[in-house]
Amino acid sequence: MLSWPRPSLQLLLLLIQPAASSLLPGNATDGVQEVIVAAILPQTNTSYAWAWPRVGPALQAALDRINSDPWLLPGLSLRLVYRNSEDRDGLCSHSMAPLAAVDLHMDHEPWVFLGPGCTYSSSHVARFTAHWDVPMVTAGAQAWGFWEHGTVTNTGPTHKKLGQFAARVQDAFGWRHRAVLLYTRDTGDDGPCFFAAEGLYNVLLDRNVSTYHHQLHDVDYRALVQDIRDNGRVVYACCSRDVFRTLLVQFWRDGVDLKDYVFFFINLFADGLEDRGPVRPWFRGDSEDRAARLAFRSVKVLTYYQPPTPQYLQFTEDLKRNAKKMFNFTITDSVYNMIAGGFYDGLMMFSQALNETLSQQRPGPGPVPRPRGDTLTHKMWNRIFPGE
Ligand SMILES: *[C@@H]1O[C@H](CO)[C@@H](O)[C@H](O)[C@H]1NC(C)=O
Ligand SMILES: *[C@@H]1O[C@H](CO)[C@@H](O)[C@H](O)[C@H]1NC(C)=O
Ligand SMILES: *[C@@H]1O[C@H](CO)[C@@H](O)[C@H](O)[C@H]1NC(C)=O
């Protein structure tokens, strides 16, 4: 049986002093006790859906709502502190993020961490937050491994859900065999395609759908077409649009009957599809447009979709206005906003869990001590997965 190449979510071997987490009280002034919530997110690189200019306004909005509610956390006031998780090149960093977490923990004793979003940064920070017994809430950290982690609360779309969606599609059409997973893995990045494919692979494996996976690297398109023909008919591809289009054109050139195939192009944030005008993912304005257009009749593009409820539309309106005001950042790609929505929900859920935890405690003299992280986390989980 094929096995999935395990991702290297290895532990960053920092030696830290245990017992740093003695449930210290927060700072009490004017009878109102301050509770710190700490965000760790990429500061400038808005190609990340969880970049600070995208998410910061949502967290501030949640915070204002919580602090202006006299019943939610009486006697407490939440304050947001923030550190950057990027390295000097503007990339998600698995070394910066845990250092930011340690600094925040030492300086502020936060009661919750929001973020990081990227996979490797999150996996490192999650080990610290588990050790400190402080909840970590994120709308990123989509990889399969966080599902098994047990200490991370995920309020955004995950790759497990993506896999479950694919399993539903496979089921609905009675496809039991030969799903093909194509994915790129560029060194140095956060492996978004690798982890998306991993989610699909694990769920389909559970459902006894046989899969064939292929990592794209210096692609020989002719050989790849043959490889896919030999191994499957339902193809899930996570790669650049150019690679995908070239592959489809090669199928066309080779005279393959594309009616026998279905291709799912994984483009979760609809990158490049939100431009004004008709959606034409095959279009390049070159001599291959015609072949590409015909071949793309076998293609479905998979993107995230947030049902546009009135509340969500209002939320995104406010988000856009505040991103402009706070960060002079113009949001154009609306699919990304659901991640900011996930962070907003995450902070609301945390405050709800905190409310419930504190109301079950006997109030003592002096400041409220920080509740146990696992207690809060479990209360949040009940909310995220009602009935599961
Ligand atoms: C409490 O807050 C005050 C005013 O913000 C600050 O001067 C003081 O250092 C804080 N004390 C602790 C223990 O954090
Ligand atoms: C932002 O991050 C992406 C990876 O998602 C990377 O390709 C790009 O170079 C980064 N941009 C900047 C300006 O740092
Ligand atoms: C998959 O196959 C195993 C072994 O044949 C079986 O025990 C299991 O119930 C199957 N799972 C599903 C979801 O069909």
Side-chain angles (χ1 to χ4, degrees):
M1 192 173 55
L2 285 165
S3 68
W4 186 251
R6 283 314 289 166
S8 45
L9 290 178
Q10 75 277 60
L11 174 59
L12 179 70
L13 289 173
L14 285 183
L15 292 175
I16 53 166
Q17 294 297 321
S21 57
S22 51
L23 304 188
L24 285 175
N27 194 350
T29 45
D30 303 337
V32 176
Q33 181 180 336
E34 193 167 70
V35 169
I36 301 293
V37 302
I40 306 176
L41 294 165
Q43 186 159 22
T44 59
N45 192 338
T46 50
S47 73
Y48 296 116
W50 36 81
W52 181 234
R54 295 181 181 279
V55 172
L59 290 178
Q60 191 56 52
L63 208 73
D64 292 345
R65 183 169 159 195
I66 295 161
N67 284 339
S68 64
D69 182 337
W71 309 111
L72 187 55
L73 297 172
L76 302 182
S77 173
L78 301 193
R79 184 160 72 88
L80 182 61
V81 296
Y82 164 78
R83 291 269 158 100
N84 186 8
S85 61
E86 268 170 19
D87 66 13
R88 251 173 292 155
D89 301 324
L91 295 172
C92 267
S93 164
H94 64 261
S95 55
M96 290 305 289
L99 292 177
V102 170
D103 283 350
L104 287 165
H105 180 69
M106 305 290 272
D107 293 350
H108 298 287
E109 286 273 340
W111 286 19
V112 64
F113 282 91
L114 301 157
C118 291
T119 302
Y120 291 104
S121 322
S122 297
S123 79
H124 287 109
V125 170
R127 290 192 165 86
F128 285 98
T129 59
H131 177 71
W132 299 325
D133 192 29
V134 177
M136 173 177 151
V137 181
T138 177
Q142 297 160 314
W144 179 268
F146 294 102
W147 177 252
E148 297 170 325
H149 214 282
T151 59
V152 174
T153 300
N154 199 303
T155 56
T158 65
H159 294 326
K160 182 182 181 187
K161 295 270 180 223
L162 176 66
Q164 288 169 337
F165 175 80
R168 287 282 282 278
V169 172
Q170 298 279 136
D171 254 9
F173 292 99
W175 299 328
R176 300 262 164 266
H177 315 286
R178 310 220 289 172
V180 176
L181 308 178
L182 305 177
Y183 62 95
T184 44
R185 183 166 201 187
D186 302 319
T187 48
D189 81 353
D190 199 46
C193 280
F194 175 82
F195 288 113
E198 183 200 33
L200 288 164
Y201 178 87
N202 282 329
V203 178
L204 293 178
L205 188 69
D206 266 3
R207 309 292 166 95
N208 295 333
V209 177
S210 64
T211 53
Y212 172 80
H213 58 82
H214 183 113
Q215 181 171 328
L216 301 172
H217 180 69
D218 289 339
V219 186
D220 171 348
Y221 289 93
R222 187 167 287 256
L224 180 58
V225 167
Q226 192 55 50
D227 199 25
I228 294 170
R229 295 175 73 175
D230 291 345
N231 288 290
R233 292 294 177 268
V234 185
V235 181
Y236 297 88
C238 188
C239 55
S240 75
R241 287 206 290 165
D242 285 334
V243 167
F244 186 67
R245 179 180 183 269
T246 310
L247 175 64
L248 266 288
V249 169
Q250 186 68 45
F251 262 93
W252 182 258
R253 281 217 189 105
D254 289 356
V256 180
D257 188 354
L258 283 166
K259 284 201 295 298
D260 295 341
Y261 293 79
V262 58
F263 295 84
F264 291 98
F265 182 56
I266 300 173
N267 184 5
L268 297 176
F269 290 104
D271 295 311
L273 295 183
E274 288 194 273
D275 311 334
R276 256 176 269 269
V279 173
R280 295 184 297 178
W282 65 85
F283 182 78
R284 287 292 176 283
D286 62 18
S287 61
E288 286 172 335
D289 273 349
R290 186 176 164 276
R293 183 169 61 84
L294 293 170
F296 265 67
R297 288 187 301 194
S298 299
V299 173
K300 305 278 175 217
V301 180
L302 281 186
T303 65
Y304 289 139
Y305 174 72
Q306 177 93 26
T309 60
Q311 295 89 327
Y312 184 70
L313 293 177
Q314 184 60 51
F315 167 80
T316 56
E317 275 312 302
D318 295 346
L319 188 70
K320 278 186 186 172
R321 205 181 45 250
N322 290 327
K324 187 74 193 164
K325 203 163 72 189
M326 294 166 70
F327 297 101
N328 194 22
F329 172 59
T330 307
I331 296 177
T332 53
D333 30 24
S334 60
V335 183
Y336 284 67
N337 293 341
M338 70 185 290
I339 298 296
F343 275 98
Y344 179 94
D345 292 347
L347 187 48
M348 292 309 298
M349 274 188 290
F350 168 77
S351 63
Q352 197 63 46
L354 185 57
N355 164 308
E356 286 168 24
T357 307
L358 297 180
S359 61
Q360 285 160 6
Q361 282 175 5
R362 190 192 300 270
V368 181
R370 177 169 73 76
R372 291 176 53 128
D374 55 355
T375 308
L376 293 166
T377 297
H378 287 133
K379 286 191 196 297
M380 286 189 272
W381 277 37
N382 290 337
R383 262 158 229 287
I384 298 167
F385 307 107
E388 269 192 27

